[in-house]
């Protein structure tokens, strides 16, 4: 028997094993990345859905919210805390969604489900007034995104207002 041939065969088998291991690892990493993206979508949509559910089921908060988005100066005391907390929670969701989108963890069509409401919210003077007092709480990149969106806004129409 030729020991060189056996050694060469062993090296080839070892190389094939290494390549197979690397391919398996690549598939695992790809699966993990896909799971990470799915988790990001799930977490962000759950948080947004919870916000909407709270607005739909808490009539007092919904009334404060409607008053505040139209006139930030009209809310004070405990109502100001509730309004500010509601918008703070909502914009934290938007900031995190923006981060996940910019990192490639949210598909563009999913991001649109966050981007459109941001633009709609910014049409309200009370939201813009609140944002001017709290924008520093959010990431620099999200602040820049909101600033760009503010320059594109039209008249409020999210809750059936007419543009007349």
């Amino acid at each position: 028997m030729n020991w060189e041939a056996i050694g060469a065969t062993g090296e080839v088998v070892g190389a094939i094993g290494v390549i197979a291991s690397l391919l398996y690892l690549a598939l695992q990493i790809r699966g993990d990345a896909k799971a990470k993206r799915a988790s990001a979508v799930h977490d962000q949509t759950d948080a947004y859905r919870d916000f909407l559910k709270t607005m739909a089921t808490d009539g007092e908060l919904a009334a404060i919210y409607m008053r505040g988005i139209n006139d930030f100066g009209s809310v004070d005391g405990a109502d100001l805390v509730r309004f500010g907390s509601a918008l703070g929670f909502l914009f934290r969701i938007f900031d995190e969604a923006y981060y996940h989108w910019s990192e490639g963890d949210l598909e563009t069509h999913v991001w649109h489900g966050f981007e459109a409401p941001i633009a709609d919210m910014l049409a309200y003077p009370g939201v813009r007034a609140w944002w001017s007092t709290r924008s520093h709480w959010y990431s620099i990149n999200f602040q820049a995104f909101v600033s760009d969106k503010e320059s594109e806004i039209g008249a409020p129409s999210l809750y059936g207002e007419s543009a007349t």
Side-chain angles (χ1 to χ4, degrees):
M1 219 179 233
N2 183 348
W3 287 109
E4 281 186 27
I6 292 172
T9 302
E11 285 182 25
V12 168
V13 170
I16 291 171
V18 167
I19 290 170
S21 296
L22 289 174
L23 289 174
Y24 176 76
L25 181 61
L27 289 173
Q28 290 298 108
I29 290 171
R30 184 176 179 187
D32 288 348
K34 187 175 182 178
K36 179 183 172 191
R37 284 191 301 273
S39 178
V41 170
H42 178 76
D43 291 348
Q44 295 312 122
T45 54
D46 270 359
Y48 188 50
R49 189 174 27 251
D50 287 348
F51 174 82
L52 295 175
K53 181 179 179 182
T54 298
M55 284 297 155
T57 58
D58 186 335
E60 183 182 350
L61 180 57
I64 294 166
Y65 169 83
M66 286 301 294
R67 195 170 76 240
I69 65 171
N70 287 296
D71 180 9
F72 183 60
S74 72
V75 290
D76 59 4
D79 288 352
L80 179 59
V81 171
R82 292 187 78 189
F83 177 71
S85 295
L87 282 188
F89 179 72
L90 180 60
F91 274 75
R92 179 63 56 211
I93 294 166
F94 291 155
D95 189 11
E96 289 178 18
Y98 179 80
Y99 169 78
H100 287 295
W101 174 72
S102 66
E103 290 293 309
D105 296 331
L106 284 181
E107 300 287 335
T108 299
H109 72 278
V110 176
W111 165 243
H112 179 73
F114 293 98
E115 184 180 21
I118 293 168
D120 287 344
M121 294 294 302
L122 290 171
Y124 291 89
V127 174
R128 290 191 309 276
W130 171 84
W131 177 254
S132 73
T133 69
R134 296 294 181 262
S135 62
H136 63 280
W137 288 2
Y138 301 90
S139 69
I140 298 295
N141 292 340
F142 184 65
Q143 290 177 43
F145 168 78
V146 170
S147 181
D148 289 346
K149 281 293 171 195
E150 283 181 313
S151 67
E152 302 171 6
I153 59 172
S157 62
L158 186 59
Y159 298 108
E161 301 87 348
S162 91
T164 59

